[in-house]
Amino acid sequence: MLEVYKNLLTTEGTKLHATTLNGGKMQFTRFEIGDGIYTGTEKDDEIVSMTSLKSVKKSYGITGISIVNENTCRLALVATNEGILTGFYVTEIAIYAKPVDGDEILYAIIIAKPDTPEWMSPYNEAAPGSLRYYDFISVGNASNITIAPGGAGILSTDEISSLEDVKNYLFSDSTTSIDKNSLVSLEGLKHIYDKLNDYTDIHGIIDGTKPKKTVLHSMMDAVGVWLAEKVITHTNFADELRKRLVNNGTATLEGYALDARQANPNITGSLAQQISQLNEETAGAHNSIYRGKFLGNTVTSAQYEAISSGKFTDLYIGDYWTIGGVNYRIGAFDYYLNCGDTNTTRHHAVIVPDTSLYDYVMNDTNTTEGAYVGSKMYKEGLTQAKNTIKAAFNGHILKHRVYLTKAAANGKPTDGGWYDSEVDLMCEEMVYGSGIFHPVSDGANIPANYRVEKSQLPLFAHEPSRIINRTTWWLRDIAMNSYFAAVNGHGFSAYDRASNSISVRPAFCIC
């Protein structure tokens, strides 16, 4: 439920409100939802002067209306996610109205509390979703108020006599009633659909028009949980479930009917509900799923909020933004959380570009004596990458602490320290999951290979082909006295001379 921060008539809405007091007629036409940013410090006079939302996402017809008293109406607003490809947080709602013979204006605006917006999920055909709002709104003279015809795209309890009436109609004692034994067949579901169609033909909706197809779907959804309870009482339900689900992947009419119930996450005990409960909004859950979805040409405010909140809603490993011709792909969530001499406490996503950004040397000569921090790459070579990345993710690059090597002798790191990191080369552990060429303890000496990057990025674990981009690119590890580690363009782990100019493919975190 939306927690309201502001609910105000606009300046134009107040004028229209006054006309109804003098006998004028008014019609509510539609409502919009948006994801504009509000800080919680806005003054009322700023809001009432608005003529549109800050960031409109979708428009809908007014779902229903009822009179509370002579000066107040109750609007039912149902927003579906049909056609929404990317989820977002609903922060603002606009209600539009007009004089019966005049132009439409923004009548009222509702703003959510900045820290508790409501999530609108992307559309899923198997389980479409919706958000419902009820707004008690001042109208002057309620008897002079109507809603625009044909606007309702989904039924609410305001538009049918009651949900109980629908139940009674479906399961009446008449010869056309639905027997619970038929609910595990496709014919049974079609019977329900036909009866819903009959019901809406008889009762209609507020404006008296025949509902759209989506209305019938909504009615099915509205009684779905109750129908499921009826199915559960079927004596052979467990046997039927086993028969439908264990069919070697071959669809049957009966299996389709039962699977439709199992695919609805709103039904208590359904398989879809159990699966959705496994996918918690945590870094661990989202690190476990590779999706690879295009997320847009910029990171939206809702996406940044999903990251900074630690919920990572609708973000998964392999998802990417294309900015400036570069695919920036999510490699991990909260990879550095709780690491560093100064604790990294901010939730974040590790980002890796698909392609290398340019070519550069590790050093002008074939030496590794300064290790990574002492290299020309660290001192100068990453400047271009930092500028490009900071421009693409302006103000959202995480600065965190990592341990880096700063001295080496005989091809082995001898010293290191804690440094601020924003954009850096990756190490072998991040790419492969273990060291390959960097020196290890030989029983007498322990190289200074301390690091907080102790595991492979989930991006490369789930999809190893993402390691290879057909160019040879640098890693920051020393391989021997004149070589640094690299990933070869032919697909194998490698190393290259420090003075060779090969590709730069750094990683960084956004928050």
Side-chain angles (χ1 to χ4, degrees):
M1 178 180 291
L2 194 74
E3 294 188 42
V4 175
Y5 154 55
K6 298 282 187 183
N7 188 349
L8 300 170
L9 293 186
T10 65
T11 301
E12 292 301 312
T14 300
K15 293 177 184 176
L16 184 54
H17 173 276
T19 65
T20 65
L21 290 171
N22 298 320
K25 294 188 180 297
M26 183 180 88
Q27 186 176 81
F28 287 108
T29 54
R30 63 190 176 94
F31 75 98
E32 293 176 336
I33 59 174
D35 66 348
I37 297 174
Y38 297 86
T39 63
T41 60
E42 292 80 8
K43 294 189 167 118
D44 287 359
D45 56 359
E46 297 175 39
I47 295 171
V48 299
S49 63
M50 293 172 65
T51 58
S52 65
L53 295 181
K54 289 187 176 183
S55 176
V56 178
K57 301 302 288 188
K58 194 170 181 185
S59 178
Y60 305 86
I62 300 295
T63 311
I65 187 171
S66 58
I67 296 175
V68 178
N69 56 47
E70 62 180 358
N71 300 119
T72 307
C73 286
R74 179 177 181 263
L75 294 183
L77 313 175
V78 178
T80 71
N81 63 358
E82 186 172 359
I84 293 176
L85 301 180
T86 303
F88 59 92
Y89 284 96
V90 178
T91 60
E92 51 183 352
I93 301 173
I95 298 172
Y96 288 87
K98 71 181 188 71
V100 172
D101 56 353
D103 296 328
E104 180 185 78
I105 55 100
L106 176 58
Y107 186 81
I109 185 166
I110 303 168
I111 301 173
K113 289 183 179 179
D115 57 344
T116 56
E118 189 162 20
W119 178 249
M120 171 64 85
S121 61
Y123 181 71
N124 181 343
E125 186 176 1
S130 63
L131 301 177
R132 293 172 181 262
Y133 309 102
Y134 297 98
D135 188 38
F136 291 87
I137 193 163
S138 176
V139 292
N141 187 339
S143 63
N144 291 332
I145 308 302
T146 60
I147 63 173
I154 188 169
L155 284 183
S156 71
T157 52
D158 288 314
E159 300 169 311
I160 54 178
S161 49
S162 72
L163 179 58
E164 197 63 37
D165 288 344
V166 179
K167 294 177 187 176
N168 292 338
Y169 184 79
L170 292 177
F171 293 90
S172 64
D173 293 330
S174 67
T175 56
T176 59
S177 66
I178 297 172
D179 182 77
K180 65 186 179 185
N181 291 322
S182 70
L183 293 178
V184 289
S185 69
L186 186 62
E187 291 76 15
L189 288 182
K190 185 178 185 304
H191 191 182
I192 297 173
Y193 187 94
D194 291 341
K195 293 206 71 178
L196 286 172
N197 204 355
D198 293 342
Y199 184 89
T200 53
D201 278 340
I202 294 169
H203 296 274
I205 54 178
I206 281 184
D207 61 15
T209 62
K210 185 177 178 180
K212 302 174 185 177
K213 186 176 180 181
T214 52
V215 175
L216 297 177
H217 293 168
S218 302
M219 291 185 71
M220 287 286 287
D221 204 41
V223 297
V225 173
W226 191 77
L227 291 175
E229 293 171 353
K230 288 284 184 182
V231 175
I232 294 297
T233 63
H234 190 283
T235 54
N236 295 320
F237 177 74
D239 291 339
E240 294 291 340
L241 179 59
R242 280 191 289 273
K243 283 192 289 185
R244 301 316 190 259
L245 297 183
V246 186
N247 57 15
N248 297 319
T250 303
T252 64
L253 291 178
E254 294 81 2
Y256 179 85
L258 192 61
D259 290 349
R261 298 290 85 201
Q262 292 297 315
N264 189 340
N266 298 317
I267 295 177
T268 302
S270 69
L271 295 179
Q273 185 186 72
Q274 294 177 56
I275 291 171
S276 68
Q277 290 170 346
L278 291 175
N279 187 21
E280 295 292 338
E281 291 189 323
T282 63
H286 286 252
N287 276 328
S288 302
I289 298 174
Y290 183 96
R291 184 171 67 173
K293 177 183 176 181
F294 171 63
L295 298 174
N297 298 116
T298 186
V299 186
T300 66
S301 57
Q303 289 167 342
Y304 276 129
E305 169 62 26
I307 294 170
S308 63
S309 69
K311 293 182 178 180
F312 309 108
T313 306
D314 198 34
L315 298 173
Y316 295 93
I317 299 301
D319 290 358
Y320 66 97
W321 297 271
T322 301
I323 305 172
V326 177
N327 292 342
Y328 291 98
R329 200 170 293 271
I330 296 175
F333 297 104
D334 280 355
Y335 184 77
Y336 291 98
L337 195 67
N338 294 327
C339 293
D341 60 334
T342 299
N343 191 12
T344 300
T345 58
R346 298 185 68 179
H347 296 292
H348 56 273
V350 176
I351 307 299
V352 179
D354 280 358
T355 52
S356 303
L357 303 184
Y358 51 88
D359 292 351
Y360 205 82
V361 299
M362 289 298 290
N363 285 308
D364 288 330
T365 61
N366 290 323
T367 180
T368 60
E369 286 185 2
Y372 176 56
V373 172
S375 69
K376 184 177 182 180
M377 172 69 75
Y378 184 82
K379 294 175 180 178
E380 303 175 19
L382 291 174
T383 301
Q384 182 181 340
K386 290 178 181 179
N387 291 339
T388 300
I389 289 166
K390 288 182 178 180
F393 300 89
N394 188 24
H396 288 275
I397 302 299
L398 176 68
K399 181 184 288 186
H400 59 105
R401 301 283 284 176
V402 297
Y403 194 93
L404 302 173
T405 57
K406 63 181 181 180
N410 300 318
K412 297 180 180 180
T414 57
D415 196 10
W418 290 102
Y419 293 88
D420 289 337
S421 176
E422 292 181 312
V423 177
D424 273 298
L425 298 185
M426 289 179 273
C427 63
E428 289 184 314
E429 278 77 3
M430 297 173 73
V431 176
Y432 308 125
S434 67
I436 303 292
F437 290 110
H438 71 63
V440 297
S441 174
D442 59 10
N445 299 291
I446 300 177
N449 273 326
Y450 309 102
R451 61 195 65 207
V452 295
E453 299 90 353
K454 303 172 290 295
S455 59
Q456 188 178 28
L457 294 179
L459 170 65
F460 299 142
H462 292 313
E463 186 53 80
S465 67
R466 292 291 173 198
I467 297 173
I468 312 304
N469 63 9
R470 304 308 294 173
T471 65
T472 299
W473 47 280
W474 287 119
L475 299 176
R476 68 176 188 243
D477 302 290
I478 293 172
M480 56 185 298
N481 55 5
S482 58
Y483 295 85
F484 282 89
V487 175
N488 189 275
H490 292 165
F492 56 85
S493 56
Y495 51 88
D496 214 324
R497 293 182 182 275
S499 64
N500 282 354
S501 181
I502 61 174
S503 295
V504 176
R505 189 189 185 190
F508 58 96
C509 301
I510 60 173
C511 58

